[in-house]
Amino acid sequence: VEDTMEPKLDWLQRRLDLDAAQLKKVVVPFPALLGYRVEDNLAPKLDWLQTRLDLDDAQLKKMILTSQSLLGYSVDDNMKPTLGWLRTRLELSDAGLKRMVLALPPLLGLSVVDNVAPTLAWLQRRLDLGDAGLRKMVVAYPTLLGLRIERMESNCAWLERRLGLDEKQLARVVVASPPLLYLSVDDNLKPKLDYLLRATGLSSSELRDHIIRIPAIPSYSLERRYRPRVEACLAAGVDPAYVLTSAPYTDEKFDARLGLKRDVVVATASERATTGI
């Protein structure tokens, strides 16, 4: 076995330009590849992937390092029909198809019948998307194609109940911020919205209106964005609800705008003290 394994490892290391640690990262999670022949399996498979997706050597290497199981997929039974179906169904350019696969390599192993087709149909129906809208959404977020429909529907139903959204409002929010379909309700969305209500003193309907205007609000981090910004607002004497209208800002822009608001608060207080109003 060792006599046949060593040449195979040497070939794989040369073909993908792997160092010793990277070779281990490929082989250990997927030892079955050591049973594949180079000449009639591994070599033509890697060549096909590189040619079909127009990958440079670095892109091919990264793809295999992040998704070793690709080496176990059949070109004719898995990868070629999935790519062909996706390209036709979504009217994708080669560049769009490449972008999706680079973002989600396991997409190549998903079943069209059992996974991809039902997921696209559900997204289009649930979010009232046209073909162009569907294409734009899944090219930007190919991760959606690997999610269970039941999980996405559960998130949608929770958002409708929690925020009092109707179907059109839900669709608008989710299409603008697709991560809402896969963020955990219990570990992420619920504690975040609960915190924002407490910190800002807004009603549920007021929070809903903010989210309809800025759908990404529930997607930002509670610990890295909202908590420190609420504390900064309180320290500056600024209404904490400002963290909602400024949610998309970078930290630099938020700090600059908060500084302006603080100056206005100080100037207003000074004027009132002077005039006695």
Side-chain angles (χ1 to χ4, degrees):
V1 174
E2 188 170 328
D3 290 341
T4 61
M5 185 173 67
E6 285 302 321
K8 195 173 298 181
L9 292 175
D10 289 341
W11 178 87
L12 191 63
Q13 191 166 21
R14 290 194 309 273
R15 176 65 177 86
L16 295 174
D17 190 26
L18 304 171
D19 60 31
Q22 291 170 331
L23 180 64
K24 182 177 181 180
K25 186 176 180 181
V26 171
V27 175
V28 171
F30 192 62
L33 72 86
L34 296 175
Y36 300 155
R37 291 171 55 87
V38 170
E39 296 80 4
D40 55 16
N41 190 314
L42 295 176
K45 190 177 295 179
L46 290 176
D47 290 344
W48 183 86
L49 273 173
Q50 190 159 24
T51 301
R52 178 64 184 83
L53 296 172
D54 191 27
L55 304 173
D56 60 32
D57 290 344
Q59 289 171 325
L60 180 66
K61 175 181 178 177
K62 182 178 180 181
M63 182 181 288
I64 299 303
L65 280 171
T66 57
S67 188
Q68 302 84 359
S69 59
L70 288 179
L71 294 173
Y73 297 160
S74 164
V75 171
D76 292 327
D77 295 338
N78 300 119
M79 296 190 284
K80 187 182 292 185
T82 297
L83 287 181
W85 188 89
L86 271 174
R87 196 180 194 286
T88 300
R89 172 67 176 83
L90 296 174
E91 298 180 356
L92 292 169
S93 63
D94 286 340
L97 190 64
K98 176 181 179 177
R99 194 178 310 122
M100 288 183 67
V101 175
L102 285 176
L104 186 70
L107 173 63
L108 291 167
L110 294 178
S111 165
V112 169
V113 174
D114 296 332
N115 303 113
V116 184
T119 298
L120 289 176
W122 180 86
L123 285 169
Q124 192 159 29
R125 181 179 65 255
R126 187 66 166 91
L127 303 177
D128 192 26
L129 292 168
D131 289 342
L134 179 66
R135 176 174 62 250
K136 181 180 179 181
M137 188 176 192
V138 297
V139 168
Y141 292 90
T143 303
L144 298 175
L145 296 179
L147 298 178
R148 292 170 51 248
I149 291 174
E150 293 80 7
R151 176 178 179 180
M152 294 189 287
E153 176 57 43
S154 176
N155 274 31
C156 285
W158 184 85
L159 286 167
E160 286 176 328
R161 292 193 306 271
R162 184 68 177 80
L163 296 173
L165 300 172
D166 60 32
E167 289 187 357
K168 288 185 178 180
Q169 290 170 330
L170 173 78
R172 178 182 172 185
V173 168
V174 170
V175 169
S177 186
L180 295 176
L181 289 171
Y182 53 79
L183 291 175
S184 168
V185 168
D186 293 334
D187 298 332
N188 190 306
L189 295 175
K190 184 179 185 303
K192 189 183 303 175
L193 295 185
D194 288 346
Y195 171 81
L196 289 173
L197 284 172
R198 292 195 307 271
T200 63
L202 296 176
S203 66
S204 294
S205 61
E206 289 172 326
L207 178 60
R208 177 198 63 211
D209 292 342
H210 276 286
I211 291 173
I212 289 174
R213 286 193 297 270
I214 307 176
I217 283 173
S219 300
Y220 295 119
S221 170
L222 173 58
E223 300 302 329
R224 294 191 302 274
R225 180 156 304 204
Y226 290 123
R227 286 191 192 278
R229 290 189 179 188
V230 165
E231 291 172 5
C233 285
L234 292 173
V238 172
D239 184 353
Y242 180 58
V243 301
L244 299 175
T245 57
S246 64
Y249 292 175
T250 62
D251 288 340
E252 292 77 11
K253 184 174 181 179
F254 173 80
D255 290 341
R257 294 293 176 84
L258 183 63
L260 289 175
K261 284 184 169 290
R262 181 184 59 242
D263 292 343
V264 170
V265 169
V266 171
T268 301
S270 177
E271 182 180 356
R272 287 176 177 173
T274 301
T275 61
I277 296 177

